[in-house]
Amino acid sequence: MVGLSYAAVPLYRLYCQATGLGGTTSAGQGEERIESMRPVRERVVKVTFNADVHTSIQWNFRPQQTEIYVVPGETALAFYKAKNPTDKPIIGISTYNVVPFEAGQYFNKIQCFCFEEQRLNPQEEVDMPVFFYIDPEFAEDPKMAKVDLITLSYTFFEAKEGQKLPLPGYQ
Amino acid sequence: MSTAMNFSTKSFKARPPDKGAFPLDHFGECAAFKEQFLECLRESGSESSACRPRAMAYLQCRMERQLMANEPLEKLGFKDLIDEKPEAKPEKL
Protein backbone atom coordinates (compact mmCIF):
# COMPACT_ATOMS: atom_id res chain seq x y z
CA MET A 1 0.00 0.00 0.00
CA VAL A 2 2.91 2.31 0.75
CA GLY A 3 4.25 1.56 -2.73
CA LEU A 4 1.14 3.09 -4.25
CA SER A 5 1.69 6.34 -2.36
CA TYR A 6 5.25 6.56 -3.54
CA ALA A 7 4.17 6.01 -7.12
CA ALA A 8 2.09 9.17 -6.90
CA VAL A 9 5.05 11.29 -5.83
CA PRO A 10 6.58 11.96 -9.26
CA LEU A 11 3.39 13.80 -10.15
CA TYR A 12 4.32 16.54 -7.69
CA ARG A 13 7.16 17.52 -9.96
CA LEU A 14 4.83 17.84 -12.92
CA TYR A 15 2.35 19.97 -11.05
CA CYS A 16 4.67 21.73 -8.66
CA GLN A 17 3.91 25.35 -9.10
CA ALA A 18 4.68 28.89 -8.27
CA THR A 19 1.08 30.00 -8.49
CA GLY A 20 -0.58 27.30 -6.44
CA LEU A 21 -3.93 27.71 -8.08
CA GLY A 22 -4.56 24.94 -10.56
CA GLY A 23 -4.54 26.38 -14.03
CA THR A 24 -4.99 22.95 -15.52
CA THR A 25 -7.44 22.53 -18.33
CA SER A 26 -9.62 20.36 -16.17
CA ALA A 27 -10.43 23.23 -13.84
CA GLY A 28 -13.20 24.70 -15.99
CA GLN A 29 -14.74 21.34 -16.67
CA GLY A 30 -14.59 20.59 -12.97
CA GLU A 31 -16.55 23.70 -12.12
CA GLU A 32 -19.30 22.90 -14.58
CA ARG A 33 -19.44 19.43 -13.20
CA ILE A 34 -19.77 20.67 -9.65
CA GLU A 35 -22.41 23.20 -10.50
CA SER A 36 -24.59 20.80 -12.48
CA MET A 37 -24.21 17.58 -10.51
CA ARG A 38 -26.97 16.34 -8.28
CA PRO A 39 -26.56 14.34 -5.10
CA VAL A 40 -27.28 10.64 -5.32
CA ARG A 41 -28.89 10.35 -1.91
CA GLU A 42 -29.43 6.60 -1.99
CA ARG A 43 -25.71 5.89 -2.17
CA VAL A 44 -24.27 6.88 1.17
CA VAL A 45 -20.53 6.36 1.30
CA LYS A 46 -18.47 6.42 4.45
CA VAL A 47 -15.16 8.20 3.98
CA THR A 48 -12.49 7.53 6.58
CA PHE A 49 -9.25 9.42 6.98
CA ASN A 50 -5.67 8.33 7.48
CA ALA A 51 -2.73 10.54 8.19
CA ASP A 52 0.86 9.42 7.89
CA VAL A 53 4.19 11.10 8.08
CA HIS A 54 7.30 9.78 6.46
CA THR A 55 10.11 9.21 8.94
CA SER A 56 11.94 12.18 7.43
CA ILE A 57 9.45 14.72 8.74
CA GLN A 58 8.89 15.58 12.36
CA TRP A 59 5.38 16.91 12.05
CA ASN A 60 2.46 15.72 14.05
CA PHE A 61 -0.25 15.16 11.51
CA ARG A 62 -3.72 13.77 12.07
CA PRO A 63 -7.28 13.91 10.75
CA GLN A 64 -9.77 15.99 12.74
CA GLN A 65 -12.64 13.60 12.12
CA THR A 66 -12.48 9.85 11.92
CA GLU A 67 -15.16 9.54 9.29
CA ILE A 68 -17.75 11.44 7.33
CA TYR A 69 -20.79 10.11 5.48
CA VAL A 70 -21.15 11.63 2.05
CA VAL A 71 -23.20 11.01 -1.06
CA PRO A 72 -21.91 11.19 -4.63
CA GLY A 73 -22.64 14.47 -6.33
CA GLU A 74 -22.37 16.63 -3.23
CA THR A 75 -19.31 18.56 -2.17
CA ALA A 76 -17.89 17.78 1.25
CA LEU A 77 -15.36 19.29 3.62
CA ALA A 78 -13.00 17.56 6.02
CA PHE A 79 -10.03 18.63 8.10
CA TYR A 80 -6.61 17.47 9.02
CA LYS A 81 -4.33 19.19 11.47
CA ALA A 82 -0.56 19.49 11.38
CA LYS A 83 1.85 20.72 14.00
CA ASN A 84 5.55 21.37 13.90
CA PRO A 85 6.69 20.57 17.44
CA THR A 86 10.32 21.37 16.76
CA ASP A 87 12.24 24.61 17.05
CA LYS A 88 12.99 24.86 13.34
CA PRO A 89 10.73 25.65 10.40
CA ILE A 90 9.88 22.57 8.41
CA ILE A 91 8.58 22.43 4.89
CA GLY A 92 6.39 19.48 4.09
CA ILE A 93 4.79 18.20 0.97
CA SER A 94 2.09 15.61 0.87
CA THR A 95 0.63 13.09 -1.44
CA TYR A 96 -2.49 11.09 -1.04
CA ASN A 97 -3.98 7.72 -1.74
CA VAL A 98 -7.54 6.46 -2.09
CA VAL A 99 -8.65 2.93 -1.33
CA PRO A 100 -10.21 1.02 -2.92
CA PHE A 101 -8.06 2.22 -5.76
CA GLU A 102 -10.81 1.74 -8.32
CA ALA A 103 -12.86 4.31 -6.44
CA GLY A 104 -10.03 6.82 -6.80
CA GLN A 105 -11.11 7.80 -10.31
CA TYR A 106 -14.37 9.10 -8.84
CA PHE A 107 -12.76 10.90 -5.94
CA ASN A 108 -12.26 14.53 -6.88
CA LYS A 109 -10.41 16.98 -4.74
CA ILE A 110 -11.50 20.52 -5.41
CA GLN A 111 -8.96 21.98 -3.08
CA CYS A 112 -6.71 20.62 -0.39
CA PHE A 113 -3.17 20.90 0.83
CA CYS A 114 -1.41 18.26 -1.19
CA PHE A 115 1.26 18.33 -3.85
CA GLU A 116 2.47 21.75 -2.79
CA GLU A 117 5.05 22.70 -0.23
CA GLN A 118 3.64 23.77 3.10
CA ARG A 119 5.84 25.51 5.60
CA LEU A 120 5.20 25.33 9.31
CA ASN A 121 7.16 27.55 11.65
CA PRO A 122 8.43 26.24 14.98
CA GLN A 123 5.56 25.21 17.26
CA GLU A 124 3.03 26.20 14.61
CA GLU A 125 -0.18 24.25 14.28
CA VAL A 126 -2.58 24.66 11.37
CA ASP A 127 -5.83 23.27 10.09
CA MET A 128 -5.59 21.61 6.72
CA PRO A 129 -8.88 21.35 4.88
CA VAL A 130 -9.82 18.98 2.10
CA PHE A 131 -12.76 19.97 -0.10
CA PHE A 132 -13.88 17.13 -2.31
CA TYR A 133 -16.71 15.23 -3.92
CA ILE A 134 -17.41 11.78 -5.24
CA ASP A 135 -18.49 11.99 -8.84
CA PRO A 136 -22.13 10.92 -9.38
CA GLU A 137 -20.96 8.43 -12.00
CA PHE A 138 -19.67 6.39 -9.10
CA ALA A 139 -23.29 5.42 -8.44
CA GLU A 140 -23.69 4.13 -11.99
CA ASP A 141 -20.58 1.98 -12.09
CA PRO A 142 -21.49 -1.67 -11.41
CA LYS A 143 -17.97 -2.27 -10.12
CA MET A 144 -18.65 0.25 -7.39
CA ALA A 145 -21.99 -1.23 -6.36
CA LYS A 146 -20.58 -2.83 -3.22
CA VAL A 147 -18.28 0.03 -2.32
CA ASP A 148 -19.60 1.89 0.67
CA LEU A 149 -16.30 2.71 2.33
CA ILE A 150 -13.56 4.87 0.88
CA THR A 151 -10.40 5.66 2.78
CA LEU A 152 -8.44 8.78 2.05
CA SER A 153 -4.83 8.71 3.20
CA TYR A 154 -2.41 11.61 3.18
CA THR A 155 1.30 11.22 3.76
CA PHE A 156 3.63 14.12 4.47
CA PHE A 157 7.28 14.15 3.50
CA GLU A 158 9.85 16.75 4.30
CA ALA A 159 10.65 18.93 1.31
CA LYS A 160 14.12 20.36 1.11
CA GLU A 161 15.41 22.58 -1.64
CA GLY A 162 16.55 20.46 -4.54
CA GLN A 163 15.93 17.24 -2.71
CA LYS A 164 14.25 14.46 -4.60
CA LEU A 165 11.67 12.56 -2.64
CA PRO A 166 12.56 8.90 -2.16
CA LEU A 167 10.99 6.53 -4.67
CA PRO A 168 11.89 3.07 -3.47
CA GLY A 169 11.84 0.58 -6.31
CA TYR A 170 10.99 3.24 -8.89
CA GLN A 171 14.38 4.86 -9.55
CA MET B 1 -9.52 -6.87 -4.62
CA SER B 2 -6.31 -5.36 -5.82
CA THR B 3 -3.22 -5.73 -3.70
CA ALA B 4 -0.17 -3.59 -3.35
CA MET B 5 1.76 -6.05 -5.50
CA ASN B 6 -0.49 -5.65 -8.48
CA PHE B 7 1.68 -5.91 -11.55
CA SER B 8 -1.03 -4.99 -14.04
CA THR B 9 -0.90 -1.68 -15.86
CA LYS B 10 -3.42 -0.20 -13.48
CA SER B 11 -2.03 1.83 -10.65
CA PHE B 12 -3.41 4.51 -8.42
CA LYS B 13 -3.06 7.82 -10.17
CA ALA B 14 -3.10 10.65 -7.71
CA ARG B 15 -4.35 13.82 -9.26
CA PRO B 16 -3.66 17.33 -8.08
CA PRO B 17 -6.63 19.22 -6.71
CA ASP B 18 -8.68 21.20 -9.25
CA LYS B 19 -8.03 24.52 -7.61
CA GLY B 20 -4.63 23.80 -6.15
CA ALA B 21 -3.77 24.06 -2.51
CA PHE B 22 -5.46 26.07 0.19
CA PRO B 23 -3.10 28.66 1.61
CA LEU B 24 -2.34 27.81 5.21
CA ASP B 25 -4.46 29.61 7.75
CA HIS B 26 -1.41 30.51 9.81
CA PHE B 27 -3.31 32.70 12.23
CA GLY B 28 -6.33 30.46 12.64
CA GLU B 29 -8.62 33.16 11.30
CA CYS B 30 -11.24 30.63 10.31
CA ALA B 31 -10.68 28.21 13.15
CA ALA B 32 -13.99 29.15 14.79
CA PHE B 33 -15.89 28.26 11.63
CA LYS B 34 -14.01 24.99 11.45
CA GLU B 35 -14.94 24.21 15.05
CA GLN B 36 -18.59 24.88 14.35
CA PHE B 37 -18.44 22.60 11.35
CA LEU B 38 -16.81 19.79 13.32
CA GLU B 39 -19.31 20.24 16.11
CA CYS B 40 -22.09 19.81 13.57
CA LEU B 41 -20.47 16.59 12.36
CA ARG B 42 -20.31 15.27 15.90
CA GLU B 43 -23.94 16.12 16.53
CA SER B 44 -25.23 14.76 13.25
CA GLY B 45 -23.45 11.44 13.34
CA SER B 46 -20.80 12.64 10.89
CA GLU B 47 -23.28 13.43 8.17
CA SER B 48 -21.76 15.70 5.56
CA SER B 49 -25.10 16.76 4.03
CA ALA B 50 -26.39 18.04 7.35
CA CYS B 51 -23.35 20.22 7.85
CA ARG B 52 -23.11 21.82 4.46
CA PRO B 53 -24.26 25.25 5.67
CA ARG B 54 -21.36 25.32 8.08
CA ALA B 55 -18.96 24.01 5.46
CA MET B 56 -20.09 26.84 3.25
CA ALA B 57 -19.59 29.33 6.09
CA TYR B 58 -16.03 28.06 6.57
CA LEU B 59 -15.20 28.49 2.92
CA GLN B 60 -16.78 31.95 2.89
CA CYS B 61 -14.58 32.84 5.85
CA ARG B 62 -11.55 31.81 3.84
CA MET B 63 -12.62 33.79 0.83
CA GLU B 64 -13.22 36.91 2.90
CA ARG B 65 -9.71 36.68 4.33
CA GLN B 66 -7.87 35.93 1.11
CA LEU B 67 -7.30 32.36 2.21
CA MET B 68 -9.10 31.05 -0.81
CA ALA B 69 -9.77 32.38 -4.28
CA ASN B 70 -13.16 34.03 -4.48
CA GLU B 71 -15.64 31.74 -6.16
CA PRO B 72 -19.37 31.96 -6.63
CA LEU B 73 -20.86 29.50 -4.17
CA GLU B 74 -22.75 27.71 -6.95
CA LYS B 75 -19.42 26.64 -8.38
CA LEU B 76 -18.56 25.05 -5.06
CA GLY B 77 -21.71 22.96 -5.02
CA PHE B 78 -23.76 25.18 -2.72
CA LYS B 79 -26.34 26.38 -5.21
CA ASP B 80 -29.21 24.92 -3.26
CA LEU B 81 -28.16 26.66 -0.08
CA ILE B 82 -28.10 30.10 -1.62
CA ASP B 83 -31.30 29.94 -3.63
CA GLU B 84 -33.82 32.48 -2.44
CA LYS B 85 -36.76 30.14 -2.14
CA PRO B 86 -37.62 28.83 1.33
CA GLU B 87 -35.77 25.67 2.18
CA ALA B 88 -37.06 22.52 3.71
CA LYS B 89 -34.45 20.33 5.30
CA PRO B 90 -35.88 16.82 5.15
CA GLU B 91 -32.61 15.17 6.14
CA LYS B 92 -32.50 16.77 9.52
CA LEU B 93 -33.42 14.29 12.23
Side-chain angles (χ1 to χ4, degrees), chain A residues 1 4 101-102, chain B residues 1-7 10:
Chain A
M1 209 48 84
L4 289 175
F101 91 87
E102 298 92 342
Chain B
M1 287 286 284
S2 65
T3 67
M5 299 311 292
N6 187 348
F7 289 108
K10 288 184 186 173

Side-chain angles (χ1 to χ4, degrees), chain A residues 64-65 67-69 77 79, chain B residues 32-57 89 91-93:
Chain A
Q64 296 198 49
Q65 65 289 303
E67 74 237 356
I68 189 170
Y69 292 89
L77 183 63
F79 287 89
Chain B
F33 291 91
K34 176 214 68 171
E35 283 301 335
Q36 288 186 341
F37 170 75
L38 291 179
E39 182 188 346
C40 173
L41 283 188
R42 285 191 290 269
E43 289 172 0
S44 68
S46 303
E47 188 189 323
S48 172
S49 301
C51 301
R52 285 171 64 243
R54 295 198 182 181
M56 185 173 82
K89 293 209 167 34
E91 284 85 32
K92 286 261 195 268
L93 294 173

Side-chain angles (χ1 to χ4, degrees), chain A residues 1 4 8 11 15 20-22 26-27 30-31 34-35 41 64-65 67-71 74-77 79 81 95-98 101-102 104-105 107-116 118-120 124 126-129 131, chain B residues 1-4 6 10-27 30-31 34-35 37-38 41-42 45-49 52 54-56 58-59 62 67-69 71 74-80 91:
Chain A
M1 209 48 84
L4 289 175
L11 290 177
Y15 294 105
L21 280 183
S26 67
E31 281 181 353
I34 293 167
E35 190 165 358
R41 299 225 173 270
Q64 296 198 49
Q65 65 289 303
E67 74 237 356
I68 189 170
Y69 292 89
V70 304
V71 295
E74 193 171 74
T75 54
L77 183 63
F79 287 89
K81 187 188 280 276
T95 184
Y96 78 100
N97 194 13
V98 173
F101 91 87
E102 298 92 342
Q105 63 181 306
F107 191 94
N108 293 280
K109 296 180 319 303
I110 302 166
Q111 199 156 2
C112 64
F113 51 86
C114 51
F115 288 101
E116 298 184 13
Q118 309 286 354
R119 175 191 164 113
L120 287 187
E124 188 172 12
V126 288
D127 294 321
M128 293 185 148
F131 189 48
Chain B
M1 287 286 284
S2 65
T3 67
N6 187 348
K10 288 184 186 173
S11 62
F12 177 72
K13 296 253 184 300
R15 302 189 301 274
D18 290 346
K19 298 187 194 301
F22 280 116
L24 291 186
D25 182 3
H26 286 283
F27 303 109
C30 296
K34 176 214 68 171
E35 283 301 335
F37 170 75
L38 291 179
L41 283 188
R42 285 191 290 269
S46 303
E47 188 189 323
S48 172
S49 301
R52 285 171 64 243
R54 295 198 182 181
M56 185 173 82
Y58 175 79
L59 295 176
R62 274 194 166 254
L67 293 172
M68 179 177 179
E71 301 270 0
E74 306 89 358
K75 294 203 189 304
L76 300 175
F78 295 114
K79 182 172 196 295
D80 58 318
E91 284 85 32

